[in-house]
Amino acid sequence: VCSGLAVVALAGNRIPLYRQRLLSMAWVSFLVGPPLALAFAFVIGPWIVMDFKVLYPAGEMGRFFAETFERRTGQPLTIVAGDPGIAALVALEPRARPSLLLDNPVRSPWVSVADARTKGAVIVWPATDTPGTPPASIKAVFPDLVAEVPRAFARSIQGRLPLLRIGWAVIRPQAAAVTPAQ
């Protein structure tokens, strides 16, 4: 990693530089070129049907699902689960800051499927069909899941890509069991 520094340290007090103008232009292109190429790819990519996840509307998605959950249940959104990439974007919602439930319990030890059933959750996945049928992996974890009509979101640079369709479902919080007073 520090091979350039080692060469300069071992070279001594004088390093002969030939064609300094060409050398300086090469260094500037190495520093400026990759960020410019990446920005160019983000602008041109959607027009040649390249889907970049950084162009997904995370703020709009997070607000929609958090507000919908709160309107339906009367409680703030606390857990988001489903497709890890999309659920992570929804969990970035700044007001509620819900927990992210991943498919592997080791990767999200702070929340469990039982917590999602008790506190309620929003389950999200990329919708590939018209009714927004959940994938088999999500259906295996939440067998009684009732899918809602998929929601379409526009990317920040849409290009020729179709709208981003997200399938989703709400798991309503379970009422706490009331124990009769004796």
Side-chain angles (χ1 to χ4, degrees):
V1 172
C2 295
S3 60
L5 181 61
V7 167
V8 170
L10 293 175
N13 292 337
R14 292 182 135 219
I15 299 175
L17 297 176
Y18 303 104
R19 300 185 185 185
Q20 292 178 6
R21 184 178 181 100
L22 179 66
L23 185 61
S24 64
M25 288 189 330
W27 275 109
V28 167
S29 67
F30 284 140
L31 290 173
V32 177
L36 286 178
L38 197 58
F40 182 74
F42 285 150
V43 171
I44 299 300
W47 292 100
I48 57 173
V49 191
M50 291 176 62
D51 189 18
F52 295 112
K53 304 255 188 244
V54 296
L55 298 178
Y56 285 8
E60 184 182 346
M61 289 170 32
R63 273 189 304 279
F64 171 76
F65 291 119
E67 289 171 1
T68 302
F69 184 84
E70 194 166 347
R71 270 195 314 270
R72 291 185 179 192
T73 64
Q75 298 176 4
L77 177 62
T78 57
I79 299 173
V80 179
D83 179 68
I86 295 172
L89 290 177
V90 173
L92 288 175
E93 203 282 318
R95 284 185 321 146
R97 195 59 88 178
S99 297
L100 178 62
L101 173 62
L102 298 171
D103 52 356
N104 186 350
V106 175
R107 292 177 57 198
S108 59
W110 52 86
V111 66
S112 66
V113 175
D115 291 336
R117 288 194 172 105
T118 304
K119 297 177 183 177
V122 170
I123 315 299
V124 292
W125 62 88
T128 55
D129 58 357
T130 304
T133 309
S137 60
I138 293 175
K139 200 70 169 161
V141 176
F142 302 102
D144 54 345
L145 195 66
V146 178
E148 302 285 338
V149 175
R151 172 81 158 95
F153 296 96
R155 294 169 177 86
S156 55
I157 300 175
Q158 190 64 38
R160 293 187 334 196
L161 293 170
L163 290 174
L164 178 64
R165 295 183 64 238
I166 305 296
W168 62 288
V170 173
I171 296 177
R172 295 189 181 272
Q174 300 299 318
V178 179
T179 55
Q182 299 275 350

